[in-house]
């Protein structure tokens, strides 16, 4: 029986891992899950319904992941907060494991895919960039919705999220020992995609 092709993308906020993961998923014809949306949905739902984040995590459906409200700055901040709660991570863990281990495989991006969700992944990439570069990317996205937002505010958010994600006791953000490092600090989107494709191809062969 052919082993599922599981490709894991991990890395800090705004590193570009989501964009790269979606491209690779399309290349290989695999289902794709942005696991950050699960945590954004849990935080957003907890806020909107005024319920415990762990309870909110049990109410997430695929339809809820399409909510545009999950793309904003506030949802990202709430996601980082609830992701540090062990009960929330426990509630969402099996969903992610099941998604990753579909018969053909899958592509997932997040913080702990290669270390916790799919340590058996065929390919693991850890995508990163400097905080300043990541803040610049995120600011360009968010300022369209909030013209008053400053670069320094976004940079501060990035640094707080990095510290929270890396410092939490349960499944912290870290590079798996066998993950391939991809630093996108000095790469444009096309160059980053080419680099990701090359790394994946080296591990699992031609498409």
């Amino acid at each position: 029986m052919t082993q599922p092709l599981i490709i894991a993308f991990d890395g800090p906020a705004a590193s570009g891992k989501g964009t790269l993961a979606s491209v690779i998923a399309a290349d290989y014809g695999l289902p794709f899950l942005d696991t950050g949306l699960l945590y954004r949905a849990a935080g957003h739902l907890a806020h909107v319904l005024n319920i415990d984040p762990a309870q909110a995590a049990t109410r997430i459906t695929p339809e809820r992941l399409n909510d545009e409200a999950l793309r904003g700055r506030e949802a990202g901040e709430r996601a980082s907060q609830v992701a540090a709660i062990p009960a929330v991570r426990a509630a969402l863990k099996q969903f992610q494991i099941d998604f990753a281990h579909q018969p053909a495989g899958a592509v997932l991006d997040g913080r702990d895919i290669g270390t916790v969700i799919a340590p058996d992944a065929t390919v693991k990439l850890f995508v990163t960039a400097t905080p300043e570069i990541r803040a610049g990317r995120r600011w360009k996205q968010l300022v369209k919705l909030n013209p008053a937002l400053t670069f320094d505010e976004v940079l501060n958010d990035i640094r707080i999220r990095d510290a929270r994600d890396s410092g939490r006791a349960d499944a912290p953000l870290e590079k798996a020992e066998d993950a391939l490092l991809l630093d996108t600090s000095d790469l444009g989107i096309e160059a980053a995609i080419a680099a990701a494709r090359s790394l994946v191809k080296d591990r699992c062969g031609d498409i």
Side-chain angles (χ1 to χ4, degrees), residues 77-99:
E77 177 61 20
R78 292 189 187 111
S80 183
Q81 292 172 1
V82 303
I85 302 173
V88 172
R89 304 199 70 82
L92 297 175
K93 183 177 180 179
Q94 195 59 49
F95 181 102
Q96 298 172 75
I97 290 174
D98 290 344
F99 189 96

Side-chain angles (χ1 to χ4, degrees), residues 39-63:
Y39 293 95
R40 284 172 174 259
H44 178 69
L45 202 58
H47 173 74
V48 170
L49 299 180
N50 193 28
I51 59 176
D52 181 85
Q55 182 183 0
T58 67
R59 298 191 184 187
I60 293 173
T61 62
E63 292 73 27

Side-chain angles (χ1 to χ4, degrees), residues 120-164:
D120 56 339
T122 314
V123 187
K124 301 175 187 178
L125 273 70
F126 190 87
V127 185
T128 190
T130 66
E132 291 76 15
I133 292 293
R134 290 186 285 121
R137 293 170 180 167
R138 183 56 52 85
W139 177 77
K140 288 178 182 177
Q141 293 173 336
L142 298 177
V143 75
K144 297 174 184 176
L145 301 174
N146 179 9
L149 184 65
T150 68
F151 169 81
D152 286 340
E153 287 178 302
V154 178
L155 178 58
N156 186 57
D157 285 349
I158 288 285
R159 286 174 169 159
I160 290 173
R161 290 185 64 184
D162 284 353
R164 185 185 293 128

Side-chain angles (χ1 to χ4, degrees), residues 6 8 10 93 97 100-101 112-124 176-179:
I6 304 173
D10 287 308
K93 183 177 180 179
I97 290 174
H101 293 86
D112 64 348
I113 309 305
T115 54
V116 175
I117 301 303
D120 56 339
T122 314
V123 187
K124 301 175 187 178
E177 289 185 4
D178 55 345

Side-chain angles (χ1 to χ4, degrees), residues 19-20 133 137 182-195:
T19 298
L20 299 179
I133 292 293
R137 293 170 180 167
L182 175 54
D183 190 326
T184 65
S185 297
D186 299 321
L187 300 179
I189 182 60
E190 294 303 324
I193 289 172

